[in-house]
Amino acid sequence: MSSFRRISASHLVDQREWEREVQLYSDKVSVHNLQVTTDAGPDVWGRFGKPQPALVSVFLSLNRSFESAAERDVVDQSTVHYGKLSKNILSDIKKRAGGLEGIHALAIAVESAAFSTDVSGGIIGACEVDILYPKGSMLGEGAGLRSSTARKSGKHATMLYLKNVQIPTLVGVNSNERTMKQPVIANVWVDNLSYKEKEDRFLKLERILVKTIEQSSFETLESLATEVAEQLMRQFVLPETPGSNVRIRLEKPLAVPFADAPAIEIFRSSDPDDPFGRKMIVEANAGKGMQLRLVKPYMAN
């Protein structure tokens, strides 16, 4: 049975608006990295129906503080029993085995199980579900989805992400950095996602990311990140989920010997009122090609 839930476009918000929404709530109860097995969506090879591990995290924002539970030192109806929350989620995923089209359907099923833990029907104000497939990325530490819903307003935010994708490329200002490729670690988030039923898009997102970085030869992470943003807009956001935003963080772990990594992070919107978004839309409408912008290419000598 499908658990895919269609959400009104008027209730879809981006992650920044969602974060403002969730600040209205006081206390929270959460469960982190609940380990499950699921066949929802394709595996890293694009095969459907193959079981794979998933890490499920749930963050519940309460409509009011759990004062009575704190005062009486008991788990009462002013809070959420996180043991029951975990059991509800595990039970629901097991019951739905083979009936979930993809990770978004899985997130909605987890959300439903979380809300069912609210026996009084009025304590949970908002639910955030984060699902990570640790084996869902070919070159990274996983691919995931965060799905967030406010109960009263109906506002909903969906964000697709790739975690710590390591890609070798020629990048750097120093002369030694121009002689060979070095690893760049990329994290990508696509939010305000208009998710399509029966469709998980991690594989396409990672292919575009890897190709763009592998074939580039910029001196700065700033230029590289901007190029990645432009290619993701052209090849992923505008054709797949117009209206979405992209956030990209790039790190060079070998560039500074006594630091974990220098890094830059950028946010780009496809909103036509935003200069970057307007530029991307105009180029797409004009049929501009998707050729990668190469600056100061690698020279063997």
Side-chain angles (χ1 to χ4, degrees), residues 104-142:
H104 189 244
L106 176 59
I108 297 302
V110 171
E111 176 193 291
S112 177
F115 278 133
S116 72
T117 311
D118 184 359
V119 293
S120 68
I123 189 62
I124 300 176
C127 177
E128 299 171 79
V129 176
D130 189 290
I131 298 175
L132 175 68
Y133 287 170
K135 304 287 187 179
S137 166
M138 190 65 72
L139 297 177
E141 295 180 9

Side-chain angles (χ1 to χ4, degrees), residues 167 169 206-218 224-232 235 292-294:
I167 308 162
T169 190
E206 187 170 30
R207 282 197 299 267
I208 298 167
L209 174 70
V210 171
K211 181 178 179 181
T212 301
I213 293 178
E214 274 187 339
Q215 296 184 1
S216 69
S217 57
F218 293 101
L224 178 56
T226 301
E227 178 66 16
V228 171
E230 290 182 357
Q231 294 302 326
L232 290 180
Q235 300 184 53
L292 297 179
R293 180 167 60 97
L294 302 179

Side-chain angles (χ1 to χ4, degrees), residues 233 243-245 268-279 281:
M233 280 288 176
S244 291
N245 312 307
R268 297 293 183 266
S269 172
S270 63
D271 189 328
D273 293 330
D274 179 88
F276 180 87
R278 184 163 56 250
K279 171 191 171 187
I281 293 171

Side-chain angles (χ1 to χ4, degrees), residues 30-232:
S30 60
V31 173
H32 298 251
N33 291 336
L34 189 63
Q35 299 178 39
V36 304
T37 300
T38 181
D39 57 2
D43 66 6
V44 71
W45 301 101
R47 302 174 300 179
F48 285 85
K50 298 292 184 179
Q52 61 179 311
L55 299 177
V56 176
S57 299
V58 177
F59 308 85
L60 302 179
S61 297
L62 308 187
N63 281 318
R64 49 192 177 273
S65 62
F66 40 64
E67 287 184 6
S68 65
E71 289 176 358
R72 298 167 54 207
D73 196 19
V74 295
V75 180
D76 63 12
Q77 291 190 356
S78 72
T79 187
V80 173
H81 192 304
Y82 47 77
K84 292 180 179 178
L85 171 63
S86 301
K87 289 178 181 178
N88 281 1
I89 292 170
L90 292 172
S91 175
D92 198 73
I93 292 175
K94 186 176 180 179
K95 284 191 298 185
R96 295 176 186 270
L100 297 170
E101 294 99 346
I103 194 171
H104 189 244
L106 176 59
I108 297 302
V110 171
E111 176 193 291
S112 177
F115 278 133
S116 72
T117 311
D118 184 359
V119 293
S120 68
I123 189 62
I124 300 176
C127 177
E128 299 171 79
V129 176
D130 189 290
I131 298 175
L132 175 68
Y133 287 170
K135 304 287 187 179
S137 166
M138 190 65 72
L139 297 177
E141 295 180 9
L145 180 90
R146 176 167 283 230
S147 177
S148 309
T149 301
R151 213 172 195 175
K152 186 175 181 180
S153 67
K155 288 183 179 179
H156 183 82
T158 308
M159 181 169 64
L160 189 74
Y161 65 88
L162 297 174
K163 181 180 179 182
N164 292 341
V165 183
Q166 184 167 302
I167 308 162
T169 190
L170 191 74
V171 62
V173 174
N174 298 320
S175 58
N176 57 292
E177 293 182 296
R178 308 311 295 174
T179 63
M180 64 181 67
K181 292 185 176 184
Q182 63 178 299
V184 166
I185 297 177
N187 284 269
V188 176
W189 300 264
V190 181
D191 84 312
N192 203 19
L193 199 67
S194 55
Y195 221 86
K196 298 178 181 178
E197 190 169 2
K198 299 183 180 178
E199 194 168 329
D200 284 343
R201 291 172 278 185
F202 304 119
L203 303 181
K204 181 176 181 180
L205 185 65
E206 187 170 30
R207 282 197 299 267
I208 298 167
L209 174 70
V210 171
K211 181 178 179 181
T212 301
I213 293 178
E214 274 187 339
Q215 296 184 1
S216 69
S217 57
F218 293 101
E219 290 192 352
T220 66
L221 286 178
E222 289 83 351
S223 291
L224 178 56
T226 301
E227 178 66 16
V228 171
E230 290 182 357
Q231 294 302 326
L232 290 180

